[in-house]
Amino acid sequence: MNTNWVGRPTVRLKEVDSTNETVKRYASQGAENGTLIVAERQTAGKGRRGRSWESGNGENLLMSLLLRPSFAADKASMLTIVTAMAVCRGLERIRDEIRKQKNGCREQEACLPAVRIKWPNDVLLGTRKVCGILTELMLDGEGGYYVVIGVGVNVNTRYFPGELEEKAASLCREWGRSVDREAVMERIWQEFEAVYGQFLADGDLSVLREEYENCLVNRGQRVHVCRPGAEFDGIAGGIDARGRLSVSSEDGEEILVDAGEVSVRGIYGYV
């Protein structure tokens, strides 16, 4: 890839249990910052909140990045939003390239649904999920830590089983053509280097915040907040410098949500 440090080295594997678990094994053997694992298939892929993420051979992007940051571990949770922004930017670049090539469509925006983010890190095309991100902080046994960032992008899947048919999207299905997986991978990690560099310079999401909010499908929408010991409805706003979502409850209180899951009414069938 035409990147500065991400994917140096890149390890490509035919089949793994999980790209995140594979990165952990490489990390325990001393793998360096920027090591990228890419698999054609995973048999026990992990999603957020213990969900599974599976994919058939040769259709999608299944990849995980090893980071060995020098900043305090309590900032690592913000890397989820950093990665979502990078994916959003990268997919928008691919979308723009396709739009320039696409003919015979009067409504370009309608033909090629824009890339959006459902807080904190689901990447959508329209109202369907096209990319999942799982960030894990791991202790290294020597008083330090490392971070594993897993990214799964539905690129050329044409059919989804069962209920996923109504919830999942792929670049191919939504944009009407097969998409080069190598190009998608390169764009995402090029943008990650840029967004991550800004995050390192600022120490938080303060400068990146406005751009993220402009991509946020939750903003201004009615949401149902589910978290341990508390559920409530409200209107989602933007994020603060640490990536917490501001929600105005029905009694007018502004609550910063940093745990649990926010469900957006109308997005992939949530009530």
Side-chain angles (χ1 to χ4, degrees), residues 227-245:
R227 59 181 180 181
E231 294 190 17
F232 64 93
D233 290 345
I235 303 297
I239 61 170
D240 69 359
R242 293 190 64 86
R244 296 175 296 182
L245 182 69

Side-chain angles (χ1 to χ4, degrees), residues 44-73:
K46 297 192 299 182
R48 193 163 173 259
R49 297 171 65 85
R51 300 185 179 100
S52 63
W53 183 280
E54 298 181 9
S55 177
N57 283 322
E59 294 178 338
N60 304 318
L61 279 174
L62 307 170
M63 48 193 180
S64 293
L65 177 68
L66 172 63
L67 291 182
R68 295 190 182 277
S70 58
F71 51 76

Side-chain angles (χ1 to χ4, degrees), residues 25-61:
R25 290 191 285 270
Y26 273 74
S28 68
Q29 297 167 12
E32 59 190 290
N33 182 68
T35 298
L36 183 68
I37 301 294
V38 184
E40 286 297 306
R41 182 172 182 266
Q42 59 182 11
T43 58
K46 297 192 299 182
R48 193 163 173 259
R49 297 171 65 85
R51 300 185 179 100
S52 63
W53 183 280
E54 298 181 9
S55 177
N57 283 322
E59 294 178 338
N60 304 318
L61 279 174

Side-chain angles (χ1 to χ4, degrees), residues 65 77 105 124 130 136 193 206 215 247 266 270:
L65 177 68
S77 62
C105 178
L124 315 179
V130 73
E136 298 182 273
E193 289 183 342
S206 54
C215 299
V247 179
Y270 288 153

Side-chain angles (χ1 to χ4, degrees), residues 1-261:
M1 292 190 298
N2 184 22
T3 51
N4 293 319
W5 57 271
V6 170
R8 299 178 183 274
T10 297
V11 180
R12 295 174 181 263
L13 301 169
K14 184 176 181 180
E15 181 178 294
V16 298
D17 50 357
S18 155
T19 55
N20 270 31
E21 292 302 314
T22 305
V23 166
K24 293 174 190 177
R25 290 191 285 270
Y26 273 74
S28 68
Q29 297 167 12
E32 59 190 290
N33 182 68
T35 298
L36 183 68
I37 301 294
V38 184
E40 286 297 306
R41 182 172 182 266
Q42 59 182 11
T43 58
K46 297 192 299 182
R48 193 163 173 259
R49 297 171 65 85
R51 300 185 179 100
S52 63
W53 183 280
E54 298 181 9
S55 177
N57 283 322
E59 294 178 338
N60 304 318
L61 279 174
L62 307 170
M63 48 193 180
S64 293
L65 177 68
L66 172 63
L67 291 182
R68 295 190 182 277
S70 58
F71 51 76
D74 65 353
K75 293 185 177 182
S77 62
M78 290 182 272
L79 294 177
T80 293
I81 283 179
V82 166
T83 308
M85 286 187 60
V87 171
C88 191
R89 280 189 187 183
L91 296 186
E92 276 292 300
R93 286 177 60 187
I94 296 291
R95 177 175 177 265
D96 288 344
E97 291 165 10
I98 293 175
R99 287 179 65 192
K100 291 176 182 178
Q101 302 166 4
K102 198 173 180 70
N103 297 316
C105 178
R106 296 178 182 178
E107 300 285 344
Q108 291 291 343
E109 293 291 339
C111 286
L112 300 176
V115 186
R116 307 295 299 277
I117 298 171
K118 173 182 176 284
W119 183 88
N121 63 339
D122 283 353
V123 181
L124 315 179
L125 287 179
T127 60
R128 299 183 180 191
K129 183 174 177 179
V130 73
C131 171
I133 297 164
L134 178 64
T135 302
E136 298 182 273
L137 184 149
M138 305 298 299
L139 301 179
D140 63 10
E142 299 178 359
Y145 76 97
Y146 63 89
V147 177
V148 181
I149 301 177
V151 179
V153 185
N154 295 330
V155 181
N156 289 318
T157 297
R158 294 186 179 273
Y159 303 101
F160 293 100
E163 65 178 14
L164 288 180
E165 180 67 25
E166 299 299 320
K167 299 178 180 180
S170 72
L171 303 183
C172 173
R173 287 191 7 159
E174 300 300 321
W175 291 345
R177 63 173 63 185
S178 295
V179 178
D180 183 349
R181 291 187 300 159
E182 296 292 321
V184 175
M185 181 168 65
E186 182 173 79
R187 302 295 186 277
I188 286 174
W189 295 119
Q190 286 172 341
E191 295 298 341
F192 180 86
E193 289 183 342
V195 179
Y196 184 64
Q198 185 68 61
F199 169 74
L200 291 180
D202 302 331
D204 59 22
L205 301 168
S206 54
V207 173
L208 298 166
R209 177 178 170 184
E210 182 177 358
E211 180 183 352
Y212 178 86
E213 290 176 342
N214 287 337
C215 299
L216 196 58
V217 73
N218 314 68
R219 194 175 187 186
Q221 300 298 312
R222 187 170 183 80
V223 297
H224 181 70
V225 179
C226 301
R227 59 181 180 181
E231 294 190 17
F232 64 93
D233 290 345
I235 303 297
I239 61 170
D240 69 359
R242 293 190 64 86
R244 296 175 296 182
L245 182 69
S246 172
V247 179
S248 296
S249 67
E250 293 180 329
D251 60 8
E253 181 184 3
E254 182 181 358
I255 301 171
L256 291 174
V257 179
D258 60 3
E261 179 170 332

